């Protein structure tokens, strides 16, 4: 996806969020050029990348730093 997704992040100067609501699903589709398969494939690739980053971080992080916390690689439904 060549475009940055539009997220509703608070303004640094005022600390308030913009008044308009941002639909993340629409933002993802727009970034994928309106193609739902491209959007899904991109989200799956992002999820895989983040799982890899979480695995790497969990390997190098001491258990004392995390106070025994262990990451989950899949969300529970």
């Amino acid at each position: 996806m060549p475009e940055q997704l539009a997220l509703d992040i608070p303004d640094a100067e005022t600390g308030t969020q913009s008044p308009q609501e941002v639909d993340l699903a629409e933002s993802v589709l727009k970034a994928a050029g309106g193609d739902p398969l491209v959007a899904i494939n991109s989200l799956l690739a992002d999820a895989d990348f983040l799982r890899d980053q979480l695995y790497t971080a969990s390997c190098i992080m001491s258990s004392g730093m995390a106070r025994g916390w262990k990451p989950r690689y899949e969300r529970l439904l």
Side-chain angles (χ1 to χ4, degrees):
M1 292 206 241
E3 251 178 75
Q4 176 69 33
L5 296 179
L7 301 176
D8 199 18
I9 298 171
D11 182 79
E13 294 177 3
T14 64
T16 60
Q17 293 181 330
S18 62
Q20 69 183 27
E21 296 268 338
V22 175
D23 185 348
L24 292 178
E26 284 181 19
S27 183
V28 168
L29 279 173
K30 182 180 174 188
D35 186 341
L37 288 178
V38 170
I40 291 169
N41 284 327
S42 179
L43 290 172
L44 290 173
D46 287 346
D48 189 45
F49 171 76
L50 292 173
R51 274 190 212 96
D52 184 53
Q53 293 294 296
L54 182 59
Y55 174 75
T56 301
S58 68
C59 286
I60 61 175
M61 182 174 60
S62 73
S63 61
M65 177 193 284
R67 297 180 185 259
W69 175 82
K70 300 232 185 237
R72 282 187 254 158
Y73 297 99
E74 300 294 330
R75 69 184 180 126
L76 301 175
L77 299 176

